[in-house]
Amino acid sequence: MDRTRLYDILYALAAEGGREAALFGDCGPTAREAFARSLAGGGFPELWFELPLAGDPWMDFHSLTSYQDVAGTQAAFAGHDGAYADALAWFAEQEPGKVRQLALSYDTHVRDVEHPAVQLLVNGPDPSVPLAFLEAAGRPDLRDSYSGFTRSMPQEWYACYTGVFPGRDAADADPWVRVECIVGDKCQKAYAEDASTLQEHLRQIGLDSISKDAIPGIQELARSPFPLEFQFNVGPGGMALPALSASVRFQPNDWADMGRSVEIGRLAGWLQSLGLADGRCGLLPQTVFAKRVDRDGESATVSCFPAFVKLRWREGQAPDAKTYLMARSGR
């Protein structure tokens, strides 16, 4: 089935019943254009719709190309060349098992489809792979920052994601690379029980002082049964800049399981009590679906669910919260 038609079906199902205005704002047309520009290979990309949980509704858009869809080919993005094409060519040439997905991430809330971020998701903790990605993406200047950060981070952490942001670089005084880390069960349990361990690990990677709300907020996430991840912007010297995001990740079955759904509801209530989320949390369960669609003699599956809740603390600013809807299509 045509990929654009599948995208339209997915988006319509997620946005029906008044959810477009409440969750996506007026960003739908820009996200659709971003989708069309991101197509590569023959597969349907994994999609993330990034939505705030309070304030005016808007959406940013992420399209993730899987290694299996482009491995060993000369795939090209439908709407991007230059460093984006170089990154994709490098990605398609990697050894099986080392890389997982290559993402293009768009600031669709400001109508930018020209300068997406490009990000690598890996399958294992081999530091040479993200370094080669940075070279391929035209940012060899960030290699030392990445290496310094991964040397200083707690050994239990796993750096699963590396990203560069061409559209934002001009506004920043110093170059930076984004790194996301899965903290692992051992550290998550330790953070839930002991603020001093969490503070020490954050100091270790350069966050000596952060918002007073961050530590108890991270501890609350760590106490949930869902895996905890951190995201940092890493500057020169390999030290994290004064911004920190912490998220927990859900699986599709979490929304159907009674115990897990109660825990999700508890997190939603906590965010609302802090003023970081509003009534749109009640709409999120309605975005969970898995369906088979048939059009013109062709058939495909489509599915969607909220995969993350992420909190962000930035120096001098109030914290905020977002969710990410993950949407997929297959045969």
Side-chain angles (χ1 to χ4, degrees):
M1 192 178 298
D2 178 76
R3 288 181 287 182
T4 302
R5 174 175 286 189
L6 281 170
Y7 175 86
D8 290 340
I9 292 169
L10 269 168
Y11 182 79
L13 289 169
E16 68 182 355
R19 291 192 296 275
E20 181 169 39
L23 297 177
F24 299 93
D26 61 358
C27 299
T30 308
R32 190 177 191 271
E33 182 180 354
F35 170 80
R37 295 174 68 106
S38 303
L39 293 175
F44 191 92
E46 182 178 284
L47 308 178
W48 297 352
F49 299 106
E50 176 183 350
L51 315 172
L53 290 176
D56 294 333
W58 53 262
M59 168 176 60
D60 282 342
F61 176 79
H62 310 256
S63 176
L64 290 77
T65 298
S66 74
Y67 173 72
Q68 288 77 12
D69 283 341
V70 296
T73 73
Q74 296 187 357
F77 287 120
H80 298 287
D81 53 16
Y84 300 106
D86 293 342
L88 182 62
W90 169 87
F91 179 72
E93 294 169 355
Q94 296 312 294
E95 297 177 18
K98 287 202 168 185
V99 297
R100 183 159 60 93
Q101 291 168 308
L102 189 73
L104 296 182
S105 296
Y106 296 84
D107 291 332
T108 48
H109 72 287
V110 294
R111 309 298 188 265
D112 184 2
V113 296
E114 299 286 340
H115 309 99
V118 58
Q119 300 137 339
L120 175 72
L121 290 82
V122 297
N123 279 325
D126 180 347
S128 68
V129 177
L131 294 177
F133 159 73
L134 292 172
E135 185 86 31
R139 296 308 306 269
D141 57 310
L142 296 173
R143 287 165 52 96
D144 287 346
S145 295
Y146 180 87
S147 294
F149 176 84
T150 54
R151 284 195 301 267
S152 64
M153 73 183 189
Q155 63 180 0
E156 296 90 352
W157 291 9
Y158 162 43
C160 63
Y161 154 119
T162 307
V164 294
F165 290 73
R168 303 181 189 179
D169 288 343
D172 297 312
D174 294 312
W176 53 270
V177 57
R178 181 162 292 174
V179 183
E180 183 158 338
C181 299
I182 300 171
V183 306
D185 292 344
K186 179 180 177 181
C187 282
Q188 181 166 342
K189 185 174 186 296
Y191 300 158
E193 296 174 350
D194 182 9
S196 64
T197 300
L198 172 59
Q199 290 171 319
E200 176 55 33
H201 282 182
L202 293 177
R203 281 194 294 266
Q204 194 172 317
I205 48 92
L207 288 177
D208 295 314
S209 60
I210 56 174
S211 165
K212 63 181 177 60
D213 302 318
I215 296 300
I218 294 169
Q219 286 194 287
E220 188 70 23
L221 292 176
R223 293 184 188 110
S224 81
F226 309 109
L228 177 68
E229 302 181 13
F230 290 146
Q231 199 174 79
F232 306 98
N233 296 338
V234 178
M239 294 289 101
L241 300 175
L244 165 63
S245 295
S247 60
V248 288
R249 180 165 189 159
F250 311 123
Q251 297 299 326
N253 289 343
D254 292 334
W255 293 88
D257 179 88
M258 179 65 72
R260 294 266 174 158
S261 63
V262 166
E263 287 294 326
I264 293 172
R266 185 186 63 79
L267 283 175
W270 169 65
L271 291 174
Q272 289 176 297
S273 74
L274 297 176
L276 301 181
D278 56 27
R280 74 193 72 179
C281 284
L283 298 176
L284 295 182
Q286 300 174 31
T287 67
V288 180
F289 61 82
K291 299 177 181 288
R292 179 165 291 279
V293 296
D294 298 286
R295 293 288 188 279
D296 301 327
E298 296 182 295
S299 180
T301 62
V302 291
S303 63
C304 180
F305 73 102
F308 292 92
V309 164
K310 181 170 82 172
L311 275 68
R312 179 176 57 174
W313 298 269
R314 293 169 290 177
E315 189 175 48
Q317 299 186 46
D320 57 30
K322 303 174 186 176
T323 190
Y324 292 73
L325 305 185
M326 180 185 292
R328 294 171 170 156
S329 178
R331 294 184 178 179

